[in-house]
Amino acid sequence: MFDKILIANRGEIAVRVIRACKELGIRTVAVYSKADAGSLHVQLADEAICIGEPPSKESYLKIDRIISAAEVADVEAIHPGYGFLSENAHFAEVCENCNIKFIGPTSAAIRAMGDKVLARETVRKAGVPVVPGSDGPVDTEENALKIARKIGYPVIVKAAGGGGGRGMRVAHNDPSLVKGYHTARTEAERAFGNAAVYIEKFIENPRHIEFQILADRKGHVVHLGERDCSLQRRHQKLVEESPSPALTGDLRKKMGKAAIRAAESVEYVNAGTVEFLLDEQGNFYFIEMNTRVQVEHPVTEEVTGIDIVKEQLRIAAGEELGFGQRDIQFQGAAIECRINAEDPFNDFRPSPGCIEFMHVPGGHGVRVDTHMYGGYTIPPHYDSMIGKLICYGRDRRVALERMTRALDEFILRGVKTTIPLHQLILKDPNFRRGRYSTNFVERLLTASQPSVPTNSTEKN
Ligand code: MV4
């Protein structure tokens, strides 16, 4: 096992990685920007190195500064967390070349899955169902029309360099496709430096189901079941849960096998997530693979008892998985609510500032992953997620009751948060029945905010 690693991240995930390291006896080096000098990850790590000014581009995204810090501190490996450099193939390659282990997949696997057109082709050839659509990139307007007419409208134009919902255009007919095709290309060129786009049949009201996988360097690949991430707003997840209320045991087996095949198709190593869309008829389709640890990984940890970050460290250190697919047991249900410093009733406007007082919920089956403490000031420069509340129960009902209780118990004074929105979601009868798809949050918000204010008798 490693003796010392550097964490190239901040916030709750940096704290999460430090915790796993402590339990494995690994010494930790934090890096931080000038805005994060008072941050918890700096306090909890064995050493901390300032790497620059508050903007991410001047600090957490500066490859040379991070590599210098790693060399000065003499670490054996770097954990990239999520976001920032975690899916940057060039960074993984620089680590490989500097003889610093990148705790994640190879740069080749990051590259293969980062190009969504290549990813689609690669997994399709391995027998994984993909959404009906184009083979490879669509280079001309004429070809776009040809494919759309063949698969039938509506279709969606996606950027090869995109992912996570960025750079997509839906079209319901020829004229809107022509328009969408060109805007998607222009946007993709500007955002990703790659104008390549591809076309898929547009799946209406899909559920977003993702499978957690682990793969070691000996070629063993297992899946840790699914997370239902259908509760999102503008591609920002709000709530995730496992198991998905939409899956049957049979479907779980099939999707799990497909997820493993997708990982194997790029000789994947370390932790990863294979994303699928599940349509209203129960068909599933691969959409993309995330080559990092994800925000919502604790949901899977709660139902499998497997510490995903510790597994990442063991795999990167060259250890074989200590269990096979048969050994993985799923027990109970877990749900996660993302606590963001945002005003959910004012277009999710960020609400940075000082946390004047904080009380975190506790008790049986309650987990809070956060870097917050009373008196902490949330800097305005980064993502607004300030914590995650994860509740576990013997079944979904108990997990939801516990979440309702824990949300009521959470006190955060000084900033606005997504907690009131979560309370609204937890009360919704359709949500309680497990009946929700990707447009649920938008509908709920519209319903809770009447467009004619004079009709409102309720106060927010
Ligand atoms: C789609 C889709 C419908 N049909 N692809 C959004 C995130 C990105 N990973 C893929 N996304 C979608 N791809 C096809 N062929 C609908 C979405 C989508 C969505 C997916 C999951 C969760 C929320 C979503 C919200 C809007 C659109």
Side-chain angles (χ1 to χ4, degrees):
M1 184 40 74
F2 302 121
D3 180 55
K4 191 180 183 187
I5 74 156
L6 180 143
I7 298 113
N9 215 302
R10 63 178 301 282
E12 71 84 20
I13 193 64
V15 171
R16 170 71 188 87
V17 175
I18 291 168
R19 286 177 174 149
C21 288
K22 289 205 167 160
E23 291 179 17
L24 291 173
I26 301 168
R27 287 183 294 153
T28 53
V29 179
V31 292
Y32 65 99
S33 75
K34 284 182 183 169
D36 278 338
S39 199
L40 196 57
H41 76 287
V42 175
Q43 301 294 311
L44 296 183
D46 295 308
E47 294 170 45
I49 300 173
C50 183
I51 51 167
E53 297 299 314
S56 308
K57 284 205 160 129
E58 302 298 319
S59 49
Y60 299 106
L61 291 172
K62 274 248 184 254
I63 293 179
D64 54 347
R65 299 254 177 92
I66 290 166
I67 296 291
S68 299
E71 281 174 343
V72 166
D74 195 23
V75 301
E76 298 159 80
I78 296 180
H79 196 302
Y82 52 68
F84 297 124
L85 296 170
S86 62
E87 293 184 286
N88 184 315
H90 172 66
F91 178 60
E93 201 164 36
V94 172
C95 290
E96 285 159 16
N97 293 338
C98 293
N99 226 2
I100 300 165
K101 195 98 221 142
F102 176 81
I103 301 169
T106 59
S107 55
I110 298 174
R111 231 173 238 125
M113 287 302 182
D115 179 337
K116 306 302 168 188
V117 169
L118 181 58
R120 193 176 139 82
E121 277 308 289
T122 309
V123 308
R124 189 184 61 77
K125 284 182 188 145
V128 177
V130 299
V131 189
S134 57
D135 298 326
V138 182
D139 292 329
T140 64
E141 184 183 304
E142 291 71 36
N143 282 338
L145 287 165
K146 215 187 276 174
I147 291 153
R149 288 173 187 152
K150 196 176 108 196
I151 61 177
Y153 287 102
V155 299
I156 184 165
V157 184
K158 296 183 176 182
R166 297 171 310 158
M168 310 191 316
R169 277 285 177 290
V170 179
H172 291 268
N173 48 46
D174 284 1
S176 75
L177 174 61
V178 169
K179 203 165 155 243
Y181 173 76
H182 292 291
T183 39
R185 281 185 79 84
T186 310
E187 279 183 18
E189 175 63 52
R190 212 171 340 120
F192 319 115
N194 174 9
V197 297
Y198 61 109
I199 292 179
E200 287 178 353
K201 176 91 184 161
F202 180 66
I203 312 292
E204 312 213 41
N205 303 320
R207 289 185 81 125
H208 174 136
I209 310 286
E210 58 183 34
F211 273 73
Q212 177 70 54
I213 69 109
L214 288 177
D216 68 17
R217 291 210 252 158
K218 292 278 167 62
H220 304 120
V221 187
V222 297
H223 77 79
L224 305 185
E226 81 282 7
R227 295 182 288 259
D228 195 319
C229 303
S230 303
L231 271 177
Q232 322 201 352
R233 184 194 167 264
R234 302 200 182 155
H235 307 300
Q236 293 290 0
K237 293 169 186 165
L238 277 162
V239 178
E240 305 96 350
E241 63 173 314
S242 187
S244 166
L247 288 204
T248 58
D250 179 55
L251 200 46
R252 179 169 300 110
K253 267 211 174 107
K254 282 188 190 143
M255 292 177 79
K257 279 194 177 141
I260 289 173
R261 273 203 297 274
E264 285 171 343
S265 74
V266 292
E267 295 178 72
Y268 199 83
V269 175
N270 215 285
T273 302
V274 182
E275 292 187 7
F276 297 99
L277 292 182
L278 179 66
D279 72 14
E280 287 170 313
Q281 288 74 45
N283 303 301
F284 66 89
Y285 312 96
F286 168 93
I287 47 169
E288 46 193 83
M289 181 169 188
N290 300 317
T291 56
R292 59 171 190 275
V293 70
Q294 287 191 265
V295 172
E296 58 272 26
H297 77 277
V299 162
T300 299
E301 296 185 324
E302 296 303 313
V303 296
T304 60
I306 294 169
D307 185 317
I308 294 168
V309 177
K310 278 190 192 167
E311 293 305 328
Q312 286 194 290
L313 292 159
R314 290 193 185 107
I315 291 165
E319 288 181 28
E320 276 185 59
L321 284 175
F323 46 84
Q325 192 64 52
R326 300 273 131 74
D327 305 313
I328 298 164
Q329 302 223 353
F330 303 101
Q331 211 170 94
I335 179 166
E336 172 178 279
C337 288
R338 293 193 189 191
I339 315 298
N340 298 348
E342 294 171 347
D343 181 355
F345 305 113
N346 194 356
D347 205 33
F348 291 79
R349 182 202 302 234
S351 177
C354 180
I355 297 165
E356 291 152 13
F357 178 81
M358 175 171 91
H359 166 77
V360 288
H364 189 199
V366 177
R367 167 174 175 182
V368 179
D369 277 23
T370 184
H371 59 292
M372 285 184 288
Y373 53 85
Y376 172 67
T377 297
I378 302 159
H381 313 279
Y382 313 106
D383 192 272
S384 61
M385 199 188 72
I386 49 173
K388 310 182 301 203
L389 172 57
I390 305 105
C391 290
Y392 174 81
R394 63 156 51 82
D395 56 28
R396 187 170 187 267
R397 212 191 132 104
V398 175
L400 295 190
E401 282 165 357
R402 205 161 259 160
M403 181 59 84
T404 305
R405 185 271 288 176
L407 285 166
D408 286 347
E409 199 178 315
F410 219 134
I411 306 173
L412 275 166
R413 289 215 187 96
V415 297
K416 291 214 159 60
T417 76
T418 44
I419 291 173
L421 174 62
H422 289 305
Q423 290 173 316
L424 212 56
I425 292 168
L426 266 286
K427 270 194 219 145
D428 184 274
N430 284 317
F431 177 74
R432 297 199 74 88
R433 275 184 224 121
R435 294 173 50 135
Y436 60 88
S437 77
T438 47
N439 35 38
F440 178 92
V441 178
E442 214 72 60
R443 283 188 198 161
L444 186 74
L445 282 170
T446 315
S448 73
Q449 291 173 300
S451 49
V452 185
T454 47
N455 280 349
S456 175
T457 52
E458 279 179 326
K459 286 184 181 151
N460 281 326

